[in-house]
Amino acid sequence: MAITNTRSVQRIEAYPQADSTAASTTNEGNAHIMVVYQHTFDDTSDAELPVTTEKVKHLYKYAVAFDEDGVETLTATDVTGEDQLVQDICGALWS
């Protein structure tokens, strides 16, 4: 059999903006969230499975990138690969 990975949201924490005077076009001017995903790896033919582990993700409104000159650019964070609950919370916080 093949090993399967089941991902589920264990918890989500929302944090307020880091700087109440920061522009809304910055991450500091927006709330962000921490998502704790629980991954369960299983294979019915393996007696040592299932195994469960956690992964923590911090999501900010903007993804930060730097060009070859070191100039910072911000683009909206793409949350389409996250669970629907996470997408809904991000949409509510960042709209």
Side-chain angles (χ1 to χ4, degrees), residues 5-94:
N5 174 21
T6 304
R7 179 180 82 168
S8 59
V9 174
Q10 197 232 9
R11 73 176 179 275
I12 301 171
E13 297 178 9
Y15 298 96
Q17 62 193 39
D19 182 353
S20 62
T21 63
S24 64
T25 54
T26 66
N27 282 327
E28 292 79 16
N30 287 281
H32 72 277
I33 68 168
M34 179 189 73
V35 182
V36 178
Y37 282 110
Q38 187 174 58
H39 291 268
T40 302
F41 299 93
D42 199 4
D43 183 346
T44 56
S45 63
D46 189 336
E48 294 186 26
L49 294 176
V51 172
T52 301
T53 187
E54 292 182 349
K55 179 180 179 183
V56 177
K57 290 182 83 172
H58 293 269
L59 297 172
Y60 295 85
K61 184 173 184 176
Y62 298 105
V64 180
F66 296 92
D67 66 15
E68 60 277 350
D69 297 322
V71 177
E72 179 182 272
T73 58
L74 299 174
T75 57
T77 298
D78 181 7
V79 295
T80 56
E82 305 299 331
D83 283 23
Q84 188 61 53
L85 177 61
V86 174
Q87 292 179 40
D88 293 345
I89 292 171
C90 288
L93 285 176
W94 299 338

